[in-house]
Amino acid sequence: MPESTNRTGHALPPGAKTLRFRFNGKTYTGLQGDTLASALLANGIHFVGRSFKYHRPRGIFSAGSEEPNAIVETGTGGYAAPNVRATEVELYDGLEARSQNCWPSLSFDMLGINSLISRFIPAGFYYKTFMWPRSFWLKYEHYIRQSAGMGECPSQPDAEGYEKHHRHCDVLIAGAGPAGLAAALVAGRSGARVILVDEHPYTGGQLNDRRNSPATDNWLQQVTTELAMLPNVSLMLRTTLSGYYDHNFCTLLEKVSDHLPPAERQDCRQRLWKVRAKQVIIASGAFERPLVFADNDRPGIMLASAVRNYINRYGVLPAQQLCVFTNNDSAYQTALDAQATGAQVKVIDLRLKPDTPDANSLPGLAQAAGIQIHWNSAVSAVHGKTQVKGVTVHQLSDDGRNIQGPGIRLDCQCIAASGGWTPNVSLFSQARGKLRFDEEQQHFMPDRGVAINPNISAGACNGRFDLAGCISEGESAAFLTLDALKISASKQPVTQPPADPEDQPVHLAPRILWAVPCDHPIGEGPKKHFHELQNDSTAADIALAAREGFHSVEHLKRYTTTGMGTDQGKTSNVNALALMAEYRRLPIAAVGTTRFRQPYTPVTFGAIAGKDLQNLFAPKRHTAIQPWHDRHGAVMEDAGGWRRPRYYQQYPGESMHDAVQRECAQVRKTAGMVDASTLGKIDIQGKDAAEFLERIYTNRWHTLAVGQCRYGLMLNEQGMVIDDGVTSRIGEHHFHMTTTTGGAARVYQLLEDYRQTEWPELDVYLTSVTEQWSVISLSGPSAEAIMQPLTSQPVNAADFPDMSWQAMDIAGVPARVFRISFSGEAGYEINVPTRYGQAIWEKIWQQGQAFGCVAYGTESIHLLRAEMGFIIVGQDSDGTNTPLDLGMQWIVASDKADFVGKRGLQRNVFSQSNRKQLVGLMPEDASQILPEGAQVVLPGAIQSNDKGIGHVTSGYFSSTLESGFAMAMVAGGRQRKGDTLEVMLLSGETVRVTVTGTRFLDMQPKAAQQEAS
Amino acid sequence: MLLIECPWCGQCEQSEFHYGGEAHLTRATPESDNTELTGFLFLRSNVRGDTAERWFHAAGCRRWFNARRNTVDDRFICTYKPGQNAPQETTDA
Amino acid sequence: MILPAAKCGACNMQRYSLFNLIRQSLGYHRGWQSNWRTPAPKDHYDIVIVGGGGHGLATAYYLAKKHGINRVAVIEKGWLGGGNTGRNTTIVRSNYLYDESSALFEHAMQLWEGLSQELNYNVMFSQRGLMHLAHNEHDLHEITRRCHAIRMNGIDSELLTPRQIKQRVPMINLNARFPVLGALYQGRAGTARHDAVAWGYARGADALGVDIIQNCEVLGFDIQNNEVRGVHTTQGLIRADKVGCVAAGNSSVLAAKAGLKLPLESATLQAFVSEPLKPMLDSVVTSNTVHCYVSQSDKGELVIGGSSDPYNSYSQRGGFDQIEHVVGPMVELYPVISRLKMMRQWGGTVDLAPDRSPILGESAVSNLYFNCGWGTGGFKAPPGSGDLFADSLANDRMHPILQPFGLERFTSGELIDEGAAAGVAH
């Protein structure tokens, strides 16, 4: 096992537990509190991955969520996670991690060849080639796809679970650095409901980059403790404000157990919080900006602040020999801290040597500490491919555009680079905020927000970089926020930490060289200047984009893919824009910026899905009779949100065809019963109930007597059939409407719309009673004989005629019985309160046994009703059919003043005789079942390449008819009765059919249509 | 997700509501001409900016109401009950 | 060293080829020319196209290429392809239910099949196949009907069994809460690189003399005697004999400037991508019942979408609830993606017509044409839409394939109701 070579000492808590982990198959040790990245660096490992396009070796670049390079895969089996930032993985005992996007291994990657041919594959090269031969694209693409992509999708289902929660708060604060802490303290002390989130497992933000200092450490500890004690403040660590949506709706991703060994994890891996915040304070800090110099992607090249963070937070010195390359003062803090830890440090500063050096400035202190500073100099070459071995340093020309003089070589294993600082404006931008470019500090910062998303930015994300300033900005942001919330602010001031020797004024104003020169013109030699590491986008690519006309920032982004990596351009964004501005000779503000999109860091799909999977994916609506169905071999299906028996298997393995034929034959012979509880049911009451129905349905309702039932057809305003069902008059001002199963919710909402907004003058009230009634439909020649013993009232046709209803006791239970049928046989629809549903079903079932009564499902419903020529809305009609198309003109009372759809129907096109009309089809070969959906064509159409003239809507085999039969929508169909047509099968064969009416079973004309699907 | 002020229930999440399209359309009657019919059925102002629209508090009081909203910044200017005219006062835009 | 450019036939367009790529590499790519000029608008054009997306640029390209009309300007208020062309999920298919739709989308499909060569620009049209899943009996009924109808129109279409689906999409969970019972499959369907379509057409049109004017917003129309004479823009009045508005979600806004109302509603359609992954999904898979569709881009990202947000909006932003409505079904159907992550999301403004079919035709103002209403499916058609719209503008009559798609259908009632028949149309 390799020794931890780079551990310097004491940054992690003394006595931190030693942890073992594996990386690319080798075992290493780290300490409790490490990230995977810090542990790897402690073991002297910089080279951890390969880049996206050129497959160049890449190392750990940052210390946080902005990491573009060190993307690895962790875990195995159901715990495997691809595309994880090593800088964010908290080390645990037994952690497994692997490099990705390399084959066969990290050190020998076949696709490293892409790096050798990189000259031929600049940005957008694929638009210019792979076009010949035309048919070869899929083959080219196969190899492109193999070489692209990053991690592998896990092959096992997720072993862990997720949760989602809603929360409300007064103030949501993003970032627990000095500004966020100060804001939370003020808001918390004032009694506001505060949520303070930070993506790290600790508070303090960039205070963690600093050398241990009792002054600031105490301050941080006191503030954190006070916040933890305040009952109205939720301090949520390991939690990222990932999405800032409208009306201050924010999503927080909390990593609950990712930092634990799998054996210690709880049920919930991650939790997604959906927070509606009255106000938001953004205190998301700043990113250090990389320098764009020759081969600036080699493992060992890091952000200066990251190096400092590894030294001071983790006690890990990334290398013994370190070059700091900077254009501003802040990196000198890294130089000083590294030097203090025993490293050999040299500084290469792009800036000119100040005429009067200030001994108290950071460079002055560095010089006093014996650190060699190369002023007005640049790193012009980096040596080492899989690990930095040294740099060549050159003096810069006066204008900074060229190097000059002899170069000197410095040995180092790490380059700590700083190009200045970029406020993290992602969340502000997500919240629709507009940015402006600050010329002095050379960065974008928040300018103008929008009213629907009230927020305030404070601290470094607002361009404020000094500690005292961040704390006071946090305070004032809280005051403004409390003011907006009308909460009186606590008078207690936030204590500033006492002065710290580290708090030297930091001159951040950088010397701007957006691309640092080397020994050949940028883009015209072997060295590459990357501005975007993950997607391998170089300064030359931006020059190419500018040359080729991709001037818009969005074009630039899309053409060069800059900012499209998993880090979403957190560190690359400004450099890319600035380079474009430079090539186009425009101010950066004129080039503009892209909008940052949600999420801030990638969000696990499992967390977005939460527990809404499998049985919780969608409610399963069961009727009260479900247990009986389960016991009797029902094969269930999903229909309109419900679970319904499709057919009943009398014995295991009975085919659907056999079951349906058996069920239907028995209904025609004696009796059958079906659970029709899923029908939509709407209770309609009020003085104007009849008038309301008169307007909703196409036919007449004033004339319906109490105790009578009537079939109704419902249209939309265009005149198209959208629903049907039987409605019964319960009392003078009381109706019971039924709808199709699938249409119930839609119809109910539609009726409410008309009632409330179109005809508010009507005295009518609607109540959905679908779930209040269990409906048992009993029909067949023996239905009456089965029914009569169950009730004291006569149920024969004379006393209880078709299309009427009666209240009666059934087996002692009060019921509404409707004398209607959808099968064509004598039928009763028995409605009982749902709680009696199963009991009454069983009573009827027992009565029916002497008659061989069967239970039947939806398939038999469909066949039985089709034999009668009754339509199913949604199967025989599809939302584009008028009543006339369906042969149901008889139900349209054209002389009514108005009804929904009346005006729509009056358009001429709907009376044209060539419209598709519902007809019956009988195959010449009676054994044929015409497939639903099959095209109907004129005889010989296949040979003459004619189009279809219609399609089969319902097709079955009927034992009663001893033939296949079908319903179909056929152009001008009613005039074709008796004609021979053909139905085309997918095999290309055709079946000859005769056009008929739709009354396939000419039994005594029975009532109505009901029980639609 | 928007936050919507139901005139009866107060502020609620958008997921409780159904959208109902443009408000204040005049329903076509059998007396309407073709232009009126087409206007009612299909033509929409589809305003970029301040628009009047209908919402239904489906998972709440189950009542329809109207709202004025800016379709660019998604700011609700006001909500009001059916049958009322859109309040015409303008707020800061 | 700046190398001379090899030219392309008659026009002065630099030819793209492997040979030229290598050749330019030797000169460090300094010899590549701009894909398009940045011209100042001329005083007058034969035809002005408003909207620099895929449909508008294709229209301009075909006007110049096929009809010799190159006094054409494309006016774009932002950047080329910045609307729905650059915001969609790149799915292309031609398997529509109705004959009218089939004719239009299949015309587009056939142009797609040679588009990279036609434009000398690789649009990466990848015919990797697309399946629409069926989850219940109603769905099966629906896809069967469509399969028959599509075949009748001579377009490839087949029905897949669950087993065949599993072979093509190993990660699918056939026994999801709504089980996978079958699929409608079009092998010639697939994806293309969306930005490249705008850029390829723009480059081609520019080379043929079309002026592409970006950052130029139309403020109004110059209409005299109910005839359009030009457009007022942020760069002044541009006169034109004919104007074609191809502005997707902003069509109603343009129409209002001409005093017209359109049968359109604009809403946000969101989409998102995962982080890049090694190849894991070859086909495009869509499901109307649970509203999600997915493909994998050449970069390796899963490209995912669902239905549009429920309310009218021009904000190009949607709600997180809609994302949840898509991700839930995705994880249910493809459980192995649970630990993958959503990397980036965005929204576009789609122009939804009542029957979910596009609208192409002359408006009530003479010589003012609209090409809009493509809704959630516009990316399936830029080549076909552009070709046929150009033909119509050039010949002062709508091309026969486009005739059923005019505005008149909303008065006559002859809708092409792909929406009623298929739920949403992706």
Side-chain angles (χ1 to χ4, degrees), chain C residues 168-416:
Chain C
R168 285 178 160 87
V169 187
M171 68 171 183
I172 203 166
N173 170 21
L174 296 176
N175 301 313
R177 164 69 179 82
F178 294 114
V180 177
L181 303 179
L184 177 70
Y185 183 72
Q186 184 179 25
R188 286 160 68 234
T191 57
R193 172 85 185 107
H194 56 4
D195 293 323
V197 175
W199 300 342
Y201 273 121
R203 170 170 166 265
D206 177 88
L208 292 165
V210 171
D211 281 354
I212 296 169
I213 302 161
Q214 299 185 71
N215 301 308
C216 179
E217 185 171 356
V218 168
L219 303 172
F221 295 92
D222 180 18
I223 296 170
Q224 291 166 30
N225 302 323
N226 199 40
E227 187 177 350
V228 74
R229 297 288 176 84
V231 288
H232 297 286
T233 76
T234 47
Q235 298 188 28
L237 172 66
I238 303 174
R239 293 188 297 117
D241 297 343
K242 294 172 210 166
V243 175
C245 295
V246 196
N250 283 301
S251 297
S252 296
V253 181
L254 282 178
K257 294 183 198 297
L260 304 168
K261 260 193 197 181
L262 294 174
L264 289 179
E265 292 191 86
S266 294
T268 300
L269 179 65
Q270 300 187 72
F272 52 91
V273 291
S274 73
E275 295 178 315
L277 296 144
K278 289 295 175 190
M280 58 187 279
L281 174 65
D282 283 336
S283 304
V284 185
V285 191
T286 80
S287 167
N288 277 346
T289 296
V290 294
H291 290 302
C292 65
Y293 46 96
V294 60
S295 63
Q296 189 175 18
S297 73
D298 287 345
K299 258 191 94 178
E301 299 153 338
L302 294 177
V303 185
I304 302 169
S307 34
S308 52
D309 274 64
Y311 53 90
N312 286 18
S313 181
Y314 288 86
S315 64
Q316 296 185 325
R317 285 167 68 96
F320 184 72
D321 51 335
Q322 207 62 33
I323 301 286
E324 290 178 286
H325 290 159
V326 179
V327 172
M330 282 293 302
V331 178
E332 176 67 9
L333 272 175
Y334 315 106
V336 292
I337 73 160
S338 175
R339 296 176 81 89
L340 307 182
K341 287 166 274 173
M342 173 170 87
M343 181 171 79
R344 182 175 61 251
Q345 67 169 100
W346 64 91
T349 306
V350 293
D351 44 337
L352 299 164
D355 57 359
R356 299 296 184 263
S357 287
I359 298 166
L360 297 100
E362 195 173 7
S363 71
V365 175
S366 288
N367 292 331
L368 177 61
Y369 292 78
F370 280 85
N371 176 349
C372 57
W374 292 93
T376 58
F379 192 67
K380 287 142 195 69
S385 153
D387 183 35
L388 300 174
F389 196 51
D391 179 274
S392 306
L393 288 171
N395 294 306
D396 292 311
R397 57 97 188 91
M398 295 314 288
H399 186 282
I401 291 179
L402 295 185
Q403 276 171 12
F405 290 93
L407 281 159
E408 310 75 39
R409 74 179 191 266
F410 297 100
T411 304
S412 71
E414 289 167 295
L415 304 187
I416 304 161

Side-chain angles (χ1 to χ4, degrees), chain A residues 52 78-80 82-83 101 119-120 122 126-132 134 137-138 141 145-156 158 160 162 164 244-246 249 251 269 272 274 430 432 523-525 535 544 547-550 552 554-555 558-559 564-566 568 597-599 602-606 608-609 613-614 617-620 637-638 646 718 874-875 878 880 907 909-910 932-935 937 946-948 951 953 984 986, chain C residues 15-18 21-22 25-26 28-30 32-36 79-80 86-87 98-99 113-114 116-117 120-122 124-128 136-138 141 144-145 147-149 151-153 159 177-179 193-196 199 214 272 274-282 290 296-301 304 315 317-318 320 324 327-329 331-332 336-346 410-415 417 420-421:
Chain A
F52 189 85
Y79 293 92
N83 298 335
N101 201 28
R119 181 169 181 176
F120 305 104
Y126 30 78
Y127 300 124
K128 298 188 173 105
T129 183
F130 301 128
M131 286 178 274
W132 294 272
R134 178 173 144 175
W137 170 243
L138 274 176
E141 193 185 33
R145 281 163 63 100
Q146 293 291 333
S147 100
M150 292 172 64
E152 301 260 357
C153 180
S155 54
Q156 301 288 312
D158 201 332
E160 299 179 84
Y162 303 85
K164 288 198 280 191
Y244 196 138
Y245 299 88
D246 287 340
F249 182 89
T251 54
R269 178 189 179 210
L272 188 77
K274 300 191 276 185
Q430 279 188 25
R432 303 194 190 210
E524 301 187 9
N535 281 339
L544 178 65
R547 192 177 303 136
E548 294 196 287
F550 297 98
S552 148
E554 285 287 346
H555 282 161
R558 288 150 186 268
Y559 191 64
M564 307 280 266
T566 60
Q568 294 288 286
R597 305 194 183 280
Q598 300 96 349
V603 177
T604 315
F605 285 132
I608 301 174
L613 298 171
Q614 296 165 16
F617 178 75
K620 281 185 177 173
E637 68 167 338
D638 289 297
R646 193 169 176 207
Q718 295 182 50
Q875 175 166 338
D878 64 7
T880 66
R907 287 173 293 175
V909 68
F910 299 131
E932 290 169 359
Q935 289 277 303
V937 297
D946 278 357
K947 300 265 184 210
H951 71 282
T953 61
M984 192 169 163
L986 283 181
Chain C
R15 189 148 185 85
Y16 287 167
S17 64
L18 182 60
L21 186 65
I22 293 170
S25 298
L26 303 178
Y28 297 107
H29 303 284
R30 285 174 57 192
W32 291 117
Q33 294 173 347
S34 185
N35 279 241
W36 42 76
W79 40 283
L80 295 181
R87 292 167 186 272
Y98 291 109
D99 298 347
E113 286 173 331
S116 294
Q117 291 71 30
N120 180 233
Y121 202 96
N122 189 353
M124 303 185 207
F125 179 50
S126 176
Q127 293 178 290
R128 48 185 56 259
N136 54 45
E137 289 305 312
H138 185 265
H141 191 270
T144 310
R145 178 183 171 194
C147 187
H148 282 276
R151 285 234 196 138
M152 184 57 84
N153 280 307
L159 293 173
R177 164 69 179 82
F178 294 114
R193 172 85 185 107
H194 56 4
D195 293 323
W199 300 342
Q214 299 185 71
F272 52 91
S274 73
E275 295 178 315
L277 296 144
K278 289 295 175 190
M280 58 187 279
L281 174 65
D282 283 336
V290 294
Q296 189 175 18
S297 73
D298 287 345
K299 258 191 94 178
E301 299 153 338
I304 302 169
S315 64
R317 285 167 68 96
F320 184 72
E324 290 178 286
V327 172
V331 178
E332 176 67 9
V336 292
I337 73 160
S338 175
R339 296 176 81 89
L340 307 182
K341 287 166 274 173
M342 173 170 87
M343 181 171 79
R344 182 175 61 251
Q345 67 169 100
W346 64 91
F410 297 100
T411 304
S412 71
E414 289 167 295
L415 304 187
D417 210 337

